[in-house]
Amino acid sequence: MGRERDLFSTEIVNRGIESSGPNAGSQTFSVRVRRRLPDFLQSVNLKYVKLGYHYLVTHGIYLVTIPVLLLVFSAEVGSLSKEELWKKLWGYDLATLLAFSGVFVFTLSVYFMSRPRSIYLIDFACYKPNDDLKVPREEFIEVARRSGKFDEESLEFQKRMLMSSGIGDETYIPKAVIGSGESSATMKEGRAEASMVMFGALDELFEKTGVRPKDVSVLVVNCSIFNPTPSLSAMIINHYKMRGNVLSYNLGGMGCSAGIIAVDLAKDMLQSNPNNYAVVVSTEMVGFNWYQGKQRSMLVPNCFFRMGCSAILLSNRRRDYKRAKYRLEHIVRTHKGADDRSFSCVYQEEDEQKFKGLKISKKLIEIGGDALKTNITTLGPLVLPFSEQLLFFGTLVWRHLFGGNNSGSSQKPYIPDYKLAFEHFCVHAASKTILDEIQRNLELSDENMEASRMTLNRFGNTSSSSIWYELAYLEAKERVRRGDRVWQLAFGSGFKCNSVVWRSMRRIKKPSTSPWLHCIDRYPLSNTQYSP
């Protein structure tokens, strides 16, 4: 069998000896955890720092130019007396004054017309399934055993993965999986699960915001695995009888970071269509992606992914300024798909028994760490205080100019303190191991990672919607205050790593509806409760 490494850097070591016969020999396995997320302190690529500063200069050129022009004008006018000023003004002929005024008005018009409208997040909703869909970890193994699809070695592997995952005993699995044990990867079951989670989240969103479905002009739905015809976006339009000219988009195959990609697309559509609403729905169909084979690299998603869906309402209407919860500040997207290893590290295919599933490469943690490093390096200049940027950029340049990159050098670049840029962190709840490594590399506190860890424990890995369950946790704890900055960070197949930054428009009180309201007083869990 050799070696296999799963998604979350748990190495399965084959210590047995096989005979030549197909079923001969005995094998024993041990599990040891290896940290394989790249240390961000060891290497930072200068070109991504330059890219971040390019974004900063591109969007901040007016803020630099206007004060300079005002300073020059003030210096010119301030040196003249009142009489000299009038004499100078009357000294110009009418054509010169008109030309100057025309250029001034034209410049202002171009500036205000080209300046992007603010994008506001009015509110969002996260679907909470019924309690009869809760599956504790021990029951999960029994469900897998009753299905008759797995041998004892596969069941033991899933049990070890599950117990070390950081997932608790209250996550949700569709009835199609926990029921008869028959195949759940059917179009009928996929549509049933999609209807349950999407309509559940959207019903709550429309009720909370008071916006009618017919008022929505842009609809973006993302679901990586399940993409029926008609599409999921068409299902929503049909169910809510949306207007005929709604701009709808259905994103598929883009992994756990697709929620941020969907927000980016909705933002671009709103910039082209003023005074409108956009709805973004992020979900994944767990039952349709349920793997029933024995290949370990394809069993991992079964252990981590759980039911979930989020729906958010965006607006570019200026009159929504007062009622909006957040304003969109930045979106930074990183795509490593040009590299063959990155492209194939999460790959949907059939195994030898023709069962479909997601094959997870043993290099995923390494590849994901590289994409994450690129993303946060690009984001840094846009969000970090100037003092942090100066220290970071100075030490980085020194390292490149004076040989700090030599393998024997102990000098490391200064890694900025991202806690100075953000008050709240919503890191995609993929697994306990990944969250541990991100916390260690970015030197984040336990409180910074609390929303991610508790979401993983309570709801599992809900794919692209997980960052919204995390924000819902922060709101249920009433931690978000006016002016706070929220960083949502997600990564997924392709390989992609994406960031979105929001700024709170007001103090967020505990919402009347939330997936956390029934249990928020039990969280955060202690280290003893949370540890496997």
Side-chain angles (χ1 to χ4, degrees):
M1 290 178 61
R3 288 185 176 179
E4 294 181 6
R5 294 185 181 92
D6 63 56
L7 167 60
F8 306 101
S9 69
T10 302
E11 185 179 352
I12 310 301
V13 183
N14 180 358
R15 291 182 174 174
I17 301 175
E18 289 188 304
S19 302
S20 57
N23 298 316
S26 62
Q27 299 177 1
T28 60
F29 294 89
S30 65
V31 180
R32 66 172 180 265
V33 177
R34 301 178 63 187
R35 285 184 171 176
R36 298 189 303 143
L37 191 66
D39 189 346
F40 297 159
L41 291 171
Q42 296 300 323
S43 61
V44 177
N45 199 321
L46 184 59
K47 70 178 181 180
Y48 298 117
V49 181
K50 291 164 62 179
L51 180 60
Y53 280 106
H54 169 72
Y55 290 157
L56 180 65
V57 171
T58 299
H59 293 88
I61 189 67
Y62 293 111
L63 298 178
V64 175
T65 304
I66 291 175
V68 171
L69 292 176
L70 290 176
L71 184 63
V72 172
F73 179 76
S74 301
E76 178 70 20
V77 173
S79 62
L80 301 175
S81 64
K82 186 176 181 179
E83 292 78 10
E84 291 174 332
L85 179 60
W86 278 107
K87 185 182 296 184
K88 193 173 185 66
L89 289 175
W90 284 109
Y92 292 110
D93 56 39
L94 182 60
T96 303
L97 289 174
L98 289 176
F100 177 80
S101 301
V103 171
F104 182 73
V105 171
F106 176 78
T107 303
L108 285 180
S109 300
V110 169
Y111 167 68
F112 284 108
M113 291 176 65
S114 62
R115 189 178 62 171
R117 284 173 171 261
S118 295
I119 304 298
Y120 301 111
L121 171 58
I122 305 300
D123 213 332
F124 67 97
C126 296
Y127 178 68
K128 177 185 172 296
N130 294 327
D131 286 347
D132 60 349
L133 299 179
K134 282 184 181 179
V135 178
R137 288 172 292 181
E138 291 292 343
E139 184 178 338
F140 173 91
I141 300 302
E142 290 305 312
V143 168
R145 179 175 281 108
R146 289 198 305 267
S147 71
K149 303 291 185 180
F150 308 106
D151 56 26
E152 284 302 318
E153 289 182 356
S154 297
L155 290 170
E156 184 62 27
F157 172 79
Q158 292 181 78
K159 183 176 181 179
R160 288 197 300 267
M161 289 291 301
L162 196 58
M163 293 305 177
S164 64
S165 65
I167 292 176
D169 290 324
E170 295 186 273
T171 60
Y172 303 94
I173 294 178
K175 282 186 176 179
V177 174
I178 63 179
S180 62
E182 298 295 328
S183 175
S184 58
T186 65
M187 297 301 292
K188 180 180 179 180
E189 295 295 346
R191 285 193 173 96
E193 183 182 346
S195 298
M196 179 193 303
V197 298
M198 293 194 309
F199 300 157
L202 285 168
D203 286 346
E204 180 181 332
L205 178 69
F206 290 135
E207 182 180 354
K208 290 170 71 172
T209 60
V211 173
R212 302 176 305 166
K214 288 185 179 295
D215 295 331
V216 176
S217 62
V218 178
L219 172 65
V220 184
V221 181
N222 68 269
C223 180
S224 188
I225 298 298
F226 183 60
N227 292 285
T229 299
S231 65
L232 296 178
S233 59
M235 288 175 58
I236 293 174
I237 292 170
N238 175 262
H239 179 79
Y240 291 101
K241 309 305 177 188
M242 291 181 165
R243 64 198 202 193
N245 63 344
V246 62
L247 302 174
S248 66
Y249 300 87
N250 202 97
L251 306 181
M254 305 196 79
C256 299
S257 66
I260 296 177
I261 298 173
V263 170
D264 194 24
L265 175 58
K267 177 203 72 173
D268 290 343
M269 298 310 301
L270 286 177
Q271 295 293 2
S272 304
N273 298 272
N275 298 313
N276 277 303
Y277 289 118
V279 167
V280 175
V281 179
S282 300
T283 187
E284 194 59 72
M285 299 306 110
V286 175
F288 192 79
N289 190 43
W290 202 256
Y291 176 64
Q292 302 180 68
K294 300 177 182 179
Q295 188 168 324
R296 295 189 173 184
S297 61
M298 301 174 79
L299 283 170
V300 173
N302 285 10
C303 301
F304 287 86
F305 287 102
R306 297 294 184 266
M307 292 178 68
C309 180
S310 65
I312 71 174
L313 179 66
L314 302 175
S315 171
N316 61 0
R317 307 191 316 170
R318 291 190 174 94
R319 58 181 174 273
D320 285 327
Y321 172 86
K322 290 186 177 180
R323 74 168 183 143
K325 281 188 172 182
Y326 305 94
R327 184 179 66 234
L328 179 61
E329 297 283 301
H330 306 287
I331 294 180
V332 174
R333 294 168 53 182
T334 300
H335 204 307
K336 294 290 186 176
D339 174 66
D340 290 341
R341 290 196 317 157
S342 299
F343 173 76
S344 59
C345 66
V346 180
Y347 204 83
Q348 186 182 23
E349 63 180 9
E350 296 88 5
D351 64 7
E352 295 176 353
Q353 299 173 285
K354 303 302 179 183
F355 289 120
K356 286 191 300 184
L358 285 178
K359 185 175 183 179
I360 308 300
S361 167
K362 61 184 180 181
K363 299 292 185 180
L364 180 68
I365 302 299
E366 176 187 343
I367 291 167
D370 182 61
L372 175 62
K373 181 178 63 177
T374 299
N375 187 266
I376 64 174
T377 303
T378 307
L379 178 67
L382 301 176
V383 297
L384 288 166
F386 181 73
S387 58
E388 288 294 299
Q389 293 188 49
L390 189 63
L391 285 170
F392 172 65
F393 194 73
T395 55
L396 184 62
V397 171
W398 180 272
R399 179 183 172 92
H400 278 263
L401 290 179
F402 298 100
N405 281 327
N406 295 333
S407 58
S409 174
S410 60
Q411 183 184 5
K412 299 178 180 179
Y414 176 78
I415 297 301
D417 185 358
Y418 282 89
K419 298 187 292 295
L420 298 177
F422 309 108
E423 283 73 34
H424 307 289
F425 297 77
C426 298
V427 180
H428 170 50
S431 77
K432 182 178 183 296
T433 302
I434 288 179
L435 294 180
D436 287 346
E437 286 299 284
I438 291 176
Q439 178 178 3
R440 182 178 66 85
N441 274 278
L442 296 183
E443 299 180 351
L444 302 178
S445 67
D446 289 340
E447 185 177 355
N448 295 147
M449 301 297 293
E450 181 182 315
S452 299
R453 294 187 187 281
M454 298 308 107
T455 296
L456 178 64
N457 179 274
R458 176 62 184 83
F459 293 98
N461 182 344
T462 61
S463 189
S464 57
S465 65
S466 71
I467 55 177
W468 295 103
Y469 284 86
E470 293 163 17
L471 185 54
Y473 177 88
L474 295 171
E475 289 191 353
K477 285 290 187 181
E478 297 189 271
R479 293 181 181 174
V480 183
R481 303 183 182 277
R482 180 183 176 89
D484 282 0
R485 296 153 298 181
V486 180
W487 181 19
Q488 291 180 314
L489 174 67
F491 29 86
S493 59
F495 194 87
K496 299 178 287 292
C497 180
N498 300 318
S499 291
V500 59
V501 179
W502 305 93
R503 183 177 292 274
S504 174
M505 304 293 291
R506 52 186 168 86
R507 184 173 180 269
I508 308 298
K509 298 180 180 179
K510 182 180 291 188
S512 58
T513 56
S514 169
W516 292 96
L517 289 186
H518 67 292
C519 63
I520 192 63
D521 294 336
R522 292 193 276 118
Y523 292 91
L525 302 176
S526 65
N527 290 335
T528 303
Q529 291 173 297
Y530 183 70
S531 300

